[in-house]
Coordinates of all heavy atoms in Angstrom, one line a residue:
M1 N 0.8 -1.2 0.0 CA 0.0 0.0 0.0 C 0.9 1.2 0.0 O 1.9 1.3 0.7 CB -0.9 0.0 1.2 CG -1.8 1.2 1.3 SD -2.7 1.3 2.9 CE -3.7 -0.2 2.7
R2 N 0.5 2.2 -0.8 CA 1.3 3.5 -0.9 C 0.4 4.6 -0.3 O -0.8 4.6 -0.5 CB 1.7 3.8 -2.3 CG 2.7 3.0 -2.8 CD 3.2 3.5 -4.2 NE 4.3 2.7 -4.7 CZ 5.5 2.9 -4.4 NH1 5.9 3.9 -3.7 NH2 6.5 2.1 -4.9
F3 N 1.1 5.6 0.3 CA 0.4 6.8 0.7 C 1.1 7.9 0.0 O 2.3 8.1 0.0 CB 0.6 7.0 2.2 CG 0.0 6.0 3.0 CD1 0.8 4.9 3.5 CD2 -1.3 6.0 3.3 CE1 0.2 3.9 4.3 CE2 -1.9 5.0 4.1 CZ -1.2 3.9 4.6
N4 N 0.3 8.7 -0.8 CA 0.8 9.9 -1.5 C 0.7 11.1 -0.5 O -0.3 11.4 0.0 CB 0.0 10.2 -2.7 CG 0.3 9.1 -3.8 OD1 1.4 8.6 -3.9 ND2 -0.7 8.7 -4.5
T5 N 1.8 11.8 -0.4 CA 1.9 12.9 0.5 C 2.5 14.1 -0.3 O 3.3 13.9 -1.1 CB 2.8 12.7 1.7 OG1 4.1 12.3 1.3 CG2 2.2 11.6 2.6
K6 N 2.0 15.3 0.0 CA 2.5 16.5 -0.7 C 3.6 17.1 0.2 O 3.3 17.4 1.4 CB 1.3 17.5 -0.8 CG 1.6 18.4 -2.0 CD 0.4 18.3 -2.9 CE 0.4 19.4 -3.9 NZ 1.2 19.1 -5.1
L7 N 4.7 17.3 -0.3 CA 5.8 17.9 0.4 C 6.3 19.2 -0.3 O 6.9 19.1 -1.4 CB 7.0 16.9 0.5 CG 6.7 15.6 1.2 CD1 7.9 14.7 1.1 CD2 6.4 15.9 2.7
G8 N 5.9 20.3 0.2 CA 6.3 21.6 -0.4 C 5.5 21.7 -1.7 O 4.3 21.6 -1.8
T9 N 6.3 21.9 -2.8 CA 5.6 22.1 -4.1 C 5.6 20.8 -4.9 O 4.9 20.7 -5.9 CB 6.4 23.1 -5.0 OG1 7.8 22.7 -5.1 CG2 6.4 24.5 -4.3
G10 N 6.3 19.8 -4.4 CA 6.2 18.5 -5.1 C 5.4 17.5 -4.3 O 4.7 17.8 -3.4
S11 N 5.4 16.3 -4.8 CA 4.7 15.2 -4.0 C 5.6 14.0 -4.1 O 6.5 13.8 -4.9 CB 3.4 14.9 -4.6 OG 3.5 14.3 -5.9
T12 N 5.4 13.1 -3.2 CA 6.2 11.9 -3.1 C 5.3 10.7 -2.6 O 4.2 11.0 -2.1 CB 7.4 12.1 -2.2 OG1 8.2 10.9 -2.3 CG2 7.0 12.2 -0.7
S13 N 5.7 9.5 -2.8 CA 5.0 8.4 -2.3 C 5.8 7.8 -1.2 O 7.0 7.7 -1.2 CB 4.8 7.3 -3.4 OG 4.0 7.8 -4.4
V14 N 5.1 7.3 -0.1 CA 5.8 6.7 1.0 C 5.2 5.3 1.2 O 4.0 5.2 1.2 CB 5.5 7.5 2.3 CG1 6.1 6.8 3.5 CG2 6.0 8.9 2.2
L15 N 6.0 4.3 1.2 CA 5.5 2.9 1.3 C 5.1 2.7 2.8 O 5.8 3.2 3.7 CB 6.6 1.9 1.0 CG 6.9 1.7 -0.5 CD1 8.1 0.8 -0.7 CD2 5.7 1.2 -1.2
D16 N 4.1 1.9 3.0 CA 3.6 1.7 4.4 C 4.7 0.9 5.2 O 4.7 0.9 6.4 CB 2.3 1.0 4.4 CG 2.3 -0.4 4.0 OD1 3.2 -0.8 3.2 OD2 1.4 -1.2 4.3
T17 N 5.6 0.3 4.5 CA 6.7 -0.5 5.2 C 7.7 0.4 5.8 O 8.6 0.0 6.5 CB 7.4 -1.5 4.2 OG1 7.9 -0.7 3.1 CG2 6.4 -2.5 3.7
T18 N 7.7 1.7 5.5 CA 8.7 2.6 6.0 C 8.7 2.6 7.5 O 9.8 2.6 8.1 CB 8.4 4.1 5.5 OG1 8.3 4.1 4.1 CG2 9.4 5.0 6.0
L19 N 7.6 2.6 8.2 CA 7.5 2.7 9.6 C 7.3 1.3 10.3 O 7.3 1.3 11.5 CB 6.4 3.6 10.1 CG 6.4 5.0 9.4 CD1 5.2 5.8 9.9 CD2 7.7 5.7 9.7
K20 N 7.1 0.3 9.5 CA 6.8 -1.0 10.1 C 7.8 -1.6 11.0 O 7.5 -2.3 12.0 CB 6.5 -2.0 8.9 CG 5.0 -2.4 8.9 CD 4.8 -3.4 7.9 CE 3.4 -3.3 7.4 NZ 3.1 -4.1 6.3
S21 N 9.1 -1.4 10.7 CA 10.1 -2.1 11.5 C 10.1 -1.8 13.0 O 10.5 -2.6 13.8 CB 11.5 -1.8 10.9 OG 11.7 -0.4 11.1
S22 N 9.5 -0.7 13.3 CA 9.5 -0.2 14.7 C 8.1 -0.4 15.4 O 8.0 -0.2 16.6 CB 10.0 1.2 14.8 OG 10.1 1.6 16.1
H23 N 7.1 -0.7 14.6 CA 5.8 -0.8 15.2 C 5.3 -2.3 15.1 O 5.2 -2.9 14.1 CB 4.8 0.0 14.3 CG 4.7 1.4 14.7 ND1 4.4 1.9 16.0 CD2 5.0 2.5 14.0 CE1 4.5 3.2 16.0 NE2 4.9 3.6 14.8
K24 N 5.2 -2.9 16.3 CA 4.7 -4.3 16.4 C 3.2 -4.4 16.8 O 2.7 -5.4 16.8 CB 5.6 -5.0 17.4 CG 7.0 -5.1 16.9 CD 7.9 -5.8 18.0 CE 9.3 -6.0 17.5 NZ 10.0 -4.8 17.4
F25 N 2.6 -3.2 17.2 CA 1.2 -3.1 17.6 C 0.5 -2.2 16.5 O 1.2 -1.6 15.8 CB 1.0 -2.6 19.0 CG 1.5 -3.5 20.0 CD1 2.9 -3.4 20.5 CD2 0.7 -4.4 20.6 CE1 3.3 -4.3 21.5 CE2 1.1 -5.3 21.6 CZ 2.5 -5.2 22.0
W26 N -0.8 -2.2 16.6 CA -1.6 -1.3 15.7 C -1.2 0.1 15.9 O -1.1 0.6 17.0 CB -3.1 -1.5 16.0 CG -3.6 -2.8 15.6 CD1 -3.8 -3.9 16.3 CD2 -4.1 -3.1 14.3 NE1 -4.4 -4.9 15.6 CE2 -4.6 -4.4 14.4 CE3 -4.3 -2.4 13.1 CZ2 -5.2 -5.0 13.3 CZ3 -4.8 -3.0 12.0 CH2 -5.3 -4.3 12.1
V27 N -1.0 0.8 14.8 CA -0.8 2.3 14.8 C -2.2 2.9 14.9 O -3.1 2.6 14.1 CB -0.1 2.8 13.5 CG1 -0.1 4.3 13.5 CG2 1.3 2.2 13.5
S28 N -2.5 3.6 15.9 CA -3.8 4.2 16.2 C -4.0 5.6 15.7 O -5.2 6.0 15.4 CB -4.2 4.1 17.7 OG -3.2 4.7 18.4
A29 N -3.0 6.3 15.5 CA -3.1 7.7 15.1 C -1.8 8.2 14.4 O -0.7 7.8 14.9 CB -3.5 8.7 16.2
V30 N -1.9 9.1 13.4 CA -0.8 9.7 12.7 C -1.1 11.1 12.6 O -2.2 11.5 12.2 CB -0.5 9.0 11.4 CG1 0.6 9.7 10.6 CG2 -0.3 7.6 11.5
Q31 N -0.1 12.0 12.9 CA -0.3 13.4 12.8 C 1.0 14.0 12.2 O 2.1 13.9 12.8 CB -0.6 14.1 14.1 CG -0.9 15.5 14.1 CD -2.2 15.8 13.3 OE1 -3.2 15.2 13.6 NE2 -2.1 16.8 12.4
W32 N 0.9 14.8 11.1 CA 2.0 15.4 10.5 C 2.4 16.7 11.3 O 1.5 17.4 11.9 CB 1.7 15.8 9.1 CG 1.7 14.7 8.1 CD1 0.6 14.0 7.8 CD2 2.8 14.1 7.5 NE1 0.9 13.0 6.9 CE2 2.3 13.0 6.7 CE3 4.2 14.3 7.5 CZ2 3.1 12.2 6.0 CZ3 5.0 13.5 6.7 CH2 4.4 12.4 6.0
S33 N 3.7 17.0 11.4 CA 4.1 18.2 12.0 C 3.6 19.4 11.2 O 3.7 19.4 10.0 CB 5.7 18.3 12.0 OG 6.1 19.6 12.3
P34 N 3.1 20.4 11.9 CA 2.6 21.6 11.2 C 3.8 22.5 10.7 O 3.6 23.4 9.9 CB 1.8 22.4 12.2 CG 2.4 21.9 13.5 CD 2.9 20.5 13.3
T35 N 5.0 22.3 11.1 CA 6.1 23.1 10.7 C 7.2 22.4 9.9 O 8.0 23.1 9.3 CB 6.8 23.7 12.0 OG1 7.3 22.6 12.8 CG2 5.9 24.5 12.8
D36 N 7.2 21.1 9.8 CA 8.2 20.4 9.1 C 7.5 19.3 8.2 O 7.0 18.4 8.8 CB 9.2 19.7 10.0 CG 10.4 19.1 9.3 OD1 10.3 18.7 8.1 OD2 11.5 19.0 9.9
P37 N 7.6 19.4 6.9 CA 6.8 18.5 6.0 C 7.4 17.1 6.0 O 6.8 16.2 5.5 CB 6.9 19.1 4.7 CG 8.2 19.9 4.7 CD 8.3 20.4 6.1
Y38 N 8.5 16.8 6.7 CA 9.1 15.5 6.7 C 8.9 14.8 8.1 O 9.4 13.7 8.2 CB 10.6 15.6 6.4 CG 10.9 16.0 5.0 CD1 11.3 17.4 4.8 CD2 10.8 15.2 3.9 CE1 11.5 17.8 3.5 CE2 11.0 15.6 2.6 CZ 11.4 16.9 2.4 OH 11.7 17.4 1.1
V39 N 8.3 15.5 9.0 CA 8.2 14.9 10.4 C 6.8 14.6 10.7 O 5.9 15.4 10.4 CB 8.8 15.9 11.4 CG1 8.6 15.4 12.8 CG2 10.3 16.1 11.2
L40 N 6.5 13.5 11.3 CA 5.2 13.1 11.8 C 5.3 12.3 13.1 O 6.4 11.9 13.5 CB 4.5 12.2 10.8 CG 5.1 10.9 10.4 CD1 4.5 9.8 11.2 CD2 4.9 10.6 8.9
A41 N 4.2 12.3 13.8 CA 4.2 11.5 15.1 C 3.1 10.4 14.9 O 2.1 10.6 14.3 CB 3.8 12.5 16.2
T42 N 3.4 9.3 15.5 CA 2.5 8.2 15.5 C 2.2 7.7 17.0 O 3.1 7.9 17.8 CB 3.0 7.0 14.7 OG1 4.2 6.5 15.3 CG2 3.2 7.4 13.2
T43 N 1.1 7.2 17.2 CA 0.8 6.5 18.4 C 0.3 5.1 18.1 O -0.1 4.8 17.0 CB -0.4 7.2 19.2 OG1 -1.6 7.2 18.4 CG2 0.0 8.7 19.5
R44 N 0.5 4.2 19.1 CA 0.1 2.9 18.9 C -0.6 2.3 20.1 O -0.6 2.9 21.2 CB 1.2 2.0 18.4 CG 2.4 1.9 19.4 CD 3.5 1.2 18.7 NE 4.4 0.7 19.8 CZ 5.3 -0.2 19.6 NH1 5.6 -0.7 18.4 NH2 6.1 -0.6 20.6
H45 N -1.1 1.1 20.0 CA -1.9 0.5 21.0 C -1.2 -0.1 22.2 O -1.8 -0.7 23.1 CB -2.8 -0.6 20.5 CG -4.0 0.0 19.8 ND1 -5.0 0.7 20.4 CD2 -4.4 -0.1 18.5 CE1 -5.9 1.1 19.5 NE2 -5.6 0.6 18.4
D46 N 0.1 0.2 22.3 CA 0.9 -0.3 23.5 C 1.2 1.0 24.4 O 2.0 0.9 25.3 CB 2.1 -1.0 23.2 CG 3.2 -0.2 22.5 OD1 2.8 0.9 22.1 OD2 4.3 -0.7 22.3
G47 N 0.6 2.1 24.1 CA 0.8 3.3 24.9 C 2.0 4.2 24.5 O 2.3 5.2 25.1
T48 N 2.7 3.8 23.4 CA 3.9 4.6 23.0 C 3.5 5.6 21.9 O 2.6 5.4 21.1 CB 5.0 3.7 22.5 OG1 4.6 2.9 21.3 CG2 5.5 2.8 23.5
M49 N 4.3 6.7 21.9 CA 4.3 7.7 20.8 C 5.7 7.7 20.2 O 6.7 7.7 20.9 CB 3.9 9.0 21.3 CG 3.9 10.1 20.2 SD 4.0 11.8 20.7 CE 5.2 11.9 21.9
R50 N 5.7 7.9 18.9 CA 7.0 8.0 18.2 C 7.0 9.2 17.3 O 6.0 9.5 16.7 CB 7.3 6.7 17.4 CG 7.6 5.6 18.4 CD 7.6 4.2 17.7 NE 7.5 3.2 18.8 CZ 8.2 2.2 18.9 NH1 9.1 1.9 17.9 NH2 8.1 1.3 19.8
V51 N 8.1 9.8 17.2 CA 8.3 11.0 16.2 C 9.2 10.5 15.2 O 10.3 9.9 15.5 CB 8.8 12.2 17.0 CG1 9.0 13.4 16.0 CG2 7.9 12.6 18.1
W52 N 8.9 10.7 13.9 CA 9.6 10.2 12.8 C 10.0 11.3 11.8 O 9.3 12.3 11.7 CB 8.7 9.2 12.0 CG 8.2 8.1 12.7 CD1 7.0 8.1 13.5 CD2 8.7 6.8 12.8 NE1 6.8 6.9 14.0 CE2 7.8 6.0 13.6 CE3 9.8 6.2 12.2 CZ2 8.0 4.7 13.8 CZ3 10.0 4.8 12.5 CH2 9.1 4.1 13.3
N53 N 11.1 11.1 11.1 CA 11.4 11.8 9.9 C 11.2 10.8 8.8 O 11.9 9.8 8.8 CB 12.9 12.3 9.9 CG 13.2 13.2 8.7 OD1 12.9 12.8 7.6 ND2 13.8 14.3 9.0
I54 N 10.4 11.1 7.8 CA 10.0 10.1 6.8 C 11.2 9.7 5.9 O 11.1 8.7 5.2 CB 8.8 10.5 6.0 CG1 9.1 11.8 5.2 CG2 7.6 10.6 6.9 CD1 8.1 12.1 4.1
R55 N 12.3 10.4 6.0 CA 13.5 10.1 5.2 C 14.3 9.0 5.9 O 15.3 8.6 5.4 CB 14.3 11.4 5.0 CG 13.6 12.4 4.1 CD 14.3 13.7 4.0 NE 14.1 14.4 5.3 CZ 14.4 15.7 5.5 NH1 14.9 16.4 4.5 NH2 14.3 16.2 6.7
S56 N 13.9 8.6 7.1 CA 14.6 7.5 7.8 C 13.6 6.4 8.2 O 12.4 6.7 8.4 CB 15.2 8.1 9.1 OG 15.8 7.1 9.9
S57 N 14.1 5.2 8.4 CA 13.2 4.1 8.8 C 13.2 4.0 10.4 O 12.4 3.2 10.9 CB 13.6 2.8 8.2 OG 14.9 2.5 8.6
L58 N 14.0 4.7 11.1 CA 14.1 4.7 12.5 C 13.4 5.9 13.1 O 13.6 7.0 12.6 CB 15.5 4.5 13.0 CG 16.3 3.3 12.5 CD1 17.7 3.4 12.9 CD2 15.6 2.0 13.0
P59 N 12.8 5.8 14.3 CA 12.1 6.9 14.9 C 13.2 7.9 15.5 O 14.3 7.5 15.9 CB 11.3 6.3 16.0 CG 11.8 5.0 16.3 CD 12.5 4.5 15.0
L60 N 12.9 9.2 15.4 CA 13.7 10.2 16.0 C 13.6 10.2 17.6 O 14.6 10.3 18.3 CB 13.3 11.6 15.6 CG 13.4 11.9 14.1 CD1 12.8 13.2 13.8 CD2 14.9 11.9 13.7
H61 N 12.4 9.9 18.1 CA 12.1 9.9 19.5 C 11.0 8.9 19.8 O 10.2 8.6 18.9 CB 11.6 11.2 20.0 CG 12.5 12.4 19.7 ND1 13.7 12.6 20.3 CD2 12.4 13.4 18.8 CE1 14.3 13.7 19.8 NE2 13.6 14.1 18.9
M62 N 11.1 8.3 20.9 CA 10.0 7.4 21.4 C 9.7 7.7 22.8 O 10.6 7.8 23.6 CB 10.5 5.9 21.2 CG 9.3 5.0 21.6 SD 9.8 3.2 21.5 CE 10.0 3.0 23.3
F63 N 8.4 7.7 23.2 CA 8.0 8.0 24.5 C 7.0 7.0 25.0 O 6.1 6.6 24.2 CB 7.3 9.4 24.6 CG 8.2 10.5 24.1 CD1 8.1 11.0 22.8 CD2 9.1 11.1 25.0 CE1 8.8 12.0 22.4 CE2 9.9 12.1 24.5 CZ 9.8 12.6 23.2
Q64 N 7.0 6.5 26.2 CA 6.0 5.7 26.8 C 5.0 6.7 27.3 O 5.1 7.1 28.5 CB 6.5 4.8 27.9 CG 5.5 3.8 28.4 CD 5.1 2.8 27.3 OE1 5.9 2.2 26.7 NE2 3.8 2.6 27.2
A65 N 4.0 7.1 26.5 CA 3.1 8.1 26.9 C 2.0 7.7 27.9 O 1.6 8.5 28.7 CB 2.4 8.7 25.6
H66 N 1.6 6.4 27.7 CA 0.5 5.9 28.6 C 1.0 4.5 29.0 O 1.8 3.9 28.4 CB -0.8 5.9 27.8 CG -1.2 7.2 27.4 ND1 -2.0 8.0 28.2 CD2 -1.0 8.0 26.3 CE1 -2.2 9.2 27.6 NE2 -1.6 9.2 26.5
P67 N 0.4 4.0 30.1 CA 0.7 2.6 30.5 C 0.5 1.6 29.4 O -0.3 1.8 28.6 CB -0.2 2.3 31.7 CG -0.6 3.7 32.2 CD -0.6 4.6 31.0
K68 N 1.4 0.6 29.4 CA 1.3 -0.4 28.3 C -0.1 -1.1 28.2 O -0.5 -1.6 27.2 CB 2.4 -1.5 28.5 CG 3.7 -1.0 28.2 CD 4.8 -2.1 28.3 CE 6.1 -1.6 27.9 NZ 7.1 -2.6 27.9
S69 N -0.8 -1.2 29.4 CA -2.1 -1.8 29.3 C -3.2 -0.9 28.7 O -4.3 -1.3 28.5 CB -2.5 -2.2 30.8 OG -2.6 -1.0 31.6
E70 N -2.8 0.4 28.5 CA -3.8 1.3 27.9 C -3.5 1.6 26.5 O -2.4 1.6 26.1 CB -3.7 2.6 28.7 CG -4.0 2.5 30.2 CD -5.5 2.1 30.5 OE1 -6.4 2.3 29.6 OE2 -5.7 1.5 31.5
K71 N -4.5 1.8 25.7 CA -4.4 2.1 24.3 C -4.2 3.6 24.1 O -4.9 4.4 24.7 CB -5.6 1.6 23.5 CG -5.7 0.1 23.5 CD -6.9 -0.3 22.6 CE -6.9 -1.8 22.4 NZ -7.6 -2.5 23.3
E72 N -3.3 3.9 23.2 CA -3.1 5.3 22.8 C -4.1 5.6 21.7 O -4.1 4.8 20.7 CB -1.6 5.5 22.2 CG -1.2 6.8 21.9 CD -0.5 7.4 23.1 OE1 0.1 6.7 23.9 OE2 -0.5 8.7 23.1
L73 N -4.9 6.6 21.8 CA -6.0 6.7 20.9 C -5.9 7.9 19.9 O -6.4 7.8 18.8 CB -7.3 6.9 21.7 CG -7.7 5.7 22.6 CD1 -8.9 6.0 23.4 CD2 -7.9 4.4 21.8
C74 N -5.3 9.0 20.4 CA -5.3 10.2 19.5 C -4.1 11.0 19.7 O -3.4 10.8 20.8 CB -6.6 11.0 19.6 SG -6.8 11.7 21.3
I75 N -3.8 11.9 18.8 CA -2.6 12.7 18.9 C -2.9 14.1 18.2 O -3.7 14.2 17.3 CB -1.4 12.0 18.2 CG1 -0.1 12.7 18.4 CG2 -1.7 11.9 16.7 CD1 1.1 11.9 18.0
A76 N -2.4 15.2 18.8 CA -2.5 16.5 18.2 C -1.1 17.1 18.2 O -0.3 17.0 19.2 CB -3.4 17.4 19.0
Y77 N -0.7 17.7 17.1 CA 0.7 18.2 17.0 C 0.6 19.7 16.7 O 0.0 20.1 15.7 CB 1.3 17.5 15.8 CG 2.8 17.4 15.7 CD1 3.4 16.2 15.2 CD2 3.6 18.4 16.1 CE1 4.8 16.1 15.1 CE2 5.0 18.3 16.0 CZ 5.6 17.1 15.5 OH 6.9 17.0 15.5
T78 N 1.1 20.5 17.6 CA 1.2 22.0 17.3 C 2.6 22.3 16.9 O 3.5 21.4 16.8 CB 0.8 22.8 18.6 OG1 1.8 22.6 19.6 CG2 -0.6 22.4 19.1
S79 N 3.0 23.6 16.8 CA 4.3 23.9 16.4 C 5.4 23.5 17.4 O 6.5 23.3 17.0 CB 4.4 25.4 16.1 OG 4.1 26.2 17.3
D80 N 5.1 23.4 18.7 CA 6.1 23.1 19.6 C 5.7 22.1 20.7 O 6.4 21.8 21.6 CB 6.7 24.3 20.3 CG 5.6 25.1 21.0 OD1 4.4 24.8 20.8 OD2 5.9 26.0 21.8
V81 N 4.5 21.5 20.6 CA 4.0 20.6 21.6 C 3.2 19.5 20.9 O 2.5 19.7 19.9 CB 3.0 21.3 22.6 CG1 2.4 20.3 23.6 CG2 3.7 22.4 23.3
I82 N 3.3 18.2 21.4 CA 2.5 17.1 20.9 C 1.7 16.7 22.1 O 2.2 16.5 23.2 CB 3.4 15.9 20.5 CG1 4.3 16.4 19.3 CG2 2.5 14.7 20.1 CD1 5.3 15.3 18.9
Y83 N 0.4 16.5 21.9 CA -0.6 16.0 22.9 C -1.0 14.6 22.5 O -1.3 14.4 21.3 CB -1.8 16.9 23.0 CG -1.5 18.3 23.5 CD1 -1.3 19.3 22.5 CD2 -1.4 18.6 24.8 CE1 -1.0 20.6 23.0 CE2 -1.1 19.9 25.2 CZ -0.9 20.9 24.3 OH -0.6 22.2 24.7
T84 N -1.1 13.7 23.5 CA -1.6 12.4 23.2 C -2.8 12.1 24.2 O -2.8 12.6 25.3 CB -0.6 11.3 23.4 OG1 -0.2 11.3 24.8 CG2 0.6 11.6 22.5
G85 N -3.7 11.3 23.8 CA -4.8 10.9 24.6 C -4.9 9.4 24.6 O -4.7 8.8 23.5
G86 N -5.2 8.7 25.7 CA -5.3 7.3 25.7 C -6.6 6.8 26.4 O -7.4 7.6 26.9
S87 N -6.7 5.5 26.3 CA -7.9 4.9 26.9 C -7.9 5.0 28.5 O -8.9 4.6 29.1 CB -8.0 3.4 26.5 OG -6.9 2.7 26.9
D88 N -6.8 5.5 29.0 CA -6.8 5.8 30.5 C -7.4 7.2 30.8 O -7.4 7.6 31.9 CB -5.3 5.8 31.0 CG -4.4 6.7 30.2 OD1 -4.8 7.4 29.3 OD2 -3.2 6.8 30.6
S89 N -8.0 7.8 29.8 CA -8.7 9.1 30.0 C -7.7 10.2 30.4 O -8.1 11.2 31.1 CB -9.9 9.0 30.9 OG -10.8 8.1 30.5
V90 N -6.5 10.1 30.0 CA -5.4 11.1 30.4 C -4.9 11.7 29.1 O -4.6 11.0 28.2 CB -4.3 10.5 31.2 CG1 -3.2 11.5 31.5 CG2 -4.8 9.9 32.5
V91 N -4.7 13.1 29.1 CA -4.0 13.7 28.0 C -2.6 14.1 28.5 O -2.4 14.7 29.5 CB -4.8 15.0 27.6 CG1 -4.0 15.8 26.6 CG2 -6.2 14.7 27.1
K92 N -1.6 13.7 27.7 CA -0.2 14.0 28.0 C 0.3 15.0 27.1 O -0.1 15.1 25.9 CB 0.6 12.7 27.9 CG 0.2 11.6 28.8 CD 0.8 11.8 30.2 CE 0.4 10.7 31.1 NZ 1.5 9.7 31.2
R93 N 1.3 15.8 27.5 CA 1.8 16.9 26.8 C 3.3 16.7 26.7 O 4.0 16.5 27.7 CB 1.6 18.2 27.5 CG 2.1 19.4 26.8 CD 1.7 20.7 27.7 NE 2.1 21.9 27.1 CZ 3.2 22.5 27.5 NH1 4.0 22.1 28.5 NH2 3.6 23.6 26.9
F94 N 3.9 16.8 25.4 CA 5.3 16.6 25.2 C 5.8 17.8 24.4 O 5.3 18.1 23.3 CB 5.6 15.3 24.3 CG 5.1 14.1 25.0 CD1 3.8 13.6 24.9 CD2 6.0 13.4 25.9 CE1 3.4 12.4 25.5 CE2 5.6 12.2 26.5 CZ 4.3 11.8 26.3
V95 N 6.8 18.5 24.9 CA 7.4 19.6 24.3 C 8.4 19.2 23.3 O 9.2 18.3 23.5 CB 8.1 20.6 25.3 CG1 8.7 21.8 24.6 CG2 7.1 21.0 26.4
C96 N 8.3 19.7 22.0 CA 9.2 19.3 20.9 C 10.5 20.1 21.0 O 10.6 21.2 21.4 CB 8.5 19.6 19.6 SG 6.9 18.8 19.4

């Protein structure tokens, strides 16, 4: 499966296998950085959040945002903060 993304004035295709090597659980949310067209954040069902540069197959950062027994459900990315929400009904804030 391919995802077409617009980067600046051009466009590129990203294979879904780009992020697979580091995700062993379901990816529950993806949010692009509002300031960097190559950076995105993902959350998954083991409570972790990862920040990626799509030009690399390894994450830039990884955080245990919520307990492993809780599912990470959503993510919001502002210019300098990432917020995550989980099934534990807690919103976490991470400064970029």
Side-chain angles (χ1 to χ4, degrees):
M1 179 184 300
R2 286 190 181 272
F3 297 96
N4 290 323
T5 57
K6 207 127 168 87
L7 300 173
T9 57
S11 68
T12 187
S13 292
V14 179
L15 287 174
D16 71 338
T17 56
T18 304
L19 306 178
K20 245 184 207 172
S21 63
S22 189
H23 279 298
K24 293 179 178 70
F25 293 88
W26 287 94
V27 174
S28 55
V30 175
Q31 184 67 49
W32 288 94
S33 166
T35 58
D36 188 334
Y38 295 101
V39 174
L40 61 96
T42 60
T43 60
R44 63 186 201 167
H45 282 300
D46 67 349
T48 59
M49 179 200 44
R50 294 167 192 225
V51 179
W52 304 84
N53 183 314
I54 62 168
R55 296 172 284 194
S56 172
S57 62
L58 299 174
L60 298 171
H61 307 284
M62 186 185 97
F63 305 96
Q64 185 67 47
H66 298 270
K68 287 185 179 185
S69 60
E70 301 294 337
K71 292 183 170 95
E72 187 97 25
L73 300 175
C74 62
I75 190 167
Y77 205 144
T78 69
S79 61
D80 59 349
V81 177
I82 300 173
Y83 296 94
T84 65
S87 60
D88 56 357
S89 301
V90 175
V91 174
K92 298 280 183 96
R93 180 178 181 261
F94 298 89
V95 178
C96 303

